[in-house]
């Protein structure tokens, strides 16, 4: 579902990492269980906290997530005293798992996932569904059918 043939704009607030400029092609699946592949091969994130951290970052669509929000997402209302340092360790492990440090960035506002819209299945679905709706509105039913079928995978 990911279109590597088009140039797309990075999600707002990201550094613009792209499949074209990266040494690896990463794909993120959030429709259903969280999935990550690099060059078509599944990446095992292992610890539940790493999966939870990545899920929160991906759900924010490239916008920075404050450390306090990540802390609450990972540990709830009563985080351990070492939460900030442990979060840094989880970020380092997540970067290692992804194989590209620049995919998880840190700035003034917190941490963000630096991804292209076409690298995430939910963004691909939204785009294809919208194109299918436009084709249907123009009475181009064959194109609408093909686009909506592709959106559904």
């Amino acid at each position: 579902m990911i279109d590597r043939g088009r140039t797309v704009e990075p999600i707002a607030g990201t550094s613009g990492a792209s499949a074209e400029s990266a040494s690896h092609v990463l794909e993120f699946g959030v429709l259903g269980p969280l999935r990550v592949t690099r060059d078509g091969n599944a990446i095992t994130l292992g610890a539940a906290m790493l999966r939870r951290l990545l899920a929160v970052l991906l759900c924010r669509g490239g916008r920075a997530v404050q450390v306090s929000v990540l802390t609450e997402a990972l540990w709830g209302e009563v985080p351990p005293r070492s939460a900030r340092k442990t979060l840094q360790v989880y970020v380092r492990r997540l970067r290692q798992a992804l194989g590209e440090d620049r995919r998880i960035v840190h700035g003034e506002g917190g941490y963000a996932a630096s991804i292209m819209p076409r690298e995430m299945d939910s963004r691909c679905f939204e785009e294809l569904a919208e194109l299918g709706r436009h084709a249907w509105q123009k009475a181009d039913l064959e194109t609408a059918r093909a686009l909506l079928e592709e959106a559904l995978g």
Side-chain angles (χ1 to χ4, degrees):
M1 234 174 24
I2 294 177
D3 180 2
R4 292 179 191 90
R6 284 196 226 170
T7 302
V8 292
E9 295 299 316
I11 294 174
T14 66
S15 66
S18 70
E20 293 78 20
S21 66
S23 56
H24 298 283
V25 175
L26 289 174
E27 296 178 5
F28 301 90
V30 296
L31 299 175
L34 180 65
R35 299 173 322 282
V36 182
T37 62
R38 180 178 43 234
D39 299 330
N41 299 309
I43 294 176
T44 303
L45 296 176
M49 292 296 224
L50 291 183
R51 292 191 308 274
R52 190 177 302 166
L53 173 60
L54 180 59
V56 172
L57 293 173
L58 290 174
C59 285
R60 291 296 181 102
R63 295 182 309 273
V65 182
Q66 294 176 344
V67 169
S68 61
V69 172
L70 290 171
T71 300
E72 186 172 341
L74 294 175
W75 291 284
E77 293 180 13
V78 185
R81 285 185 172 180
S82 62
R84 184 179 281 282
K85 185 65 175 168
T86 304
L87 175 60
Q88 292 171 350
V89 171
Y90 288 153
V91 167
R92 181 176 46 82
R93 288 182 183 165
L94 183 54
R95 287 173 173 156
Q96 289 172 337
L98 297 176
E100 297 181 18
D101 287 353
R102 63 195 171 92
R103 291 305 188 127
I104 307 299
V105 296
H106 183 262
E108 268 185 47
Y111 290 96
S114 179
I115 60 171
M116 298 296 290
R118 290 299 216 136
E119 292 176 323
M120 196 156 82
D121 63 353
S122 63
R123 297 293 176 105
C124 292
F125 171 82
E126 290 170 356
E127 182 179 323
L128 289 166
E130 182 65 23
L131 291 171
R133 278 190 292 274
H134 286 301
W136 178 74
Q137 290 170 345
K138 293 179 180 180
D140 184 354
L141 302 182
E142 186 60 31
T143 300
R145 182 192 61 75
L147 288 165
L148 294 171
E149 281 181 357
E150 186 178 350
L152 293 173

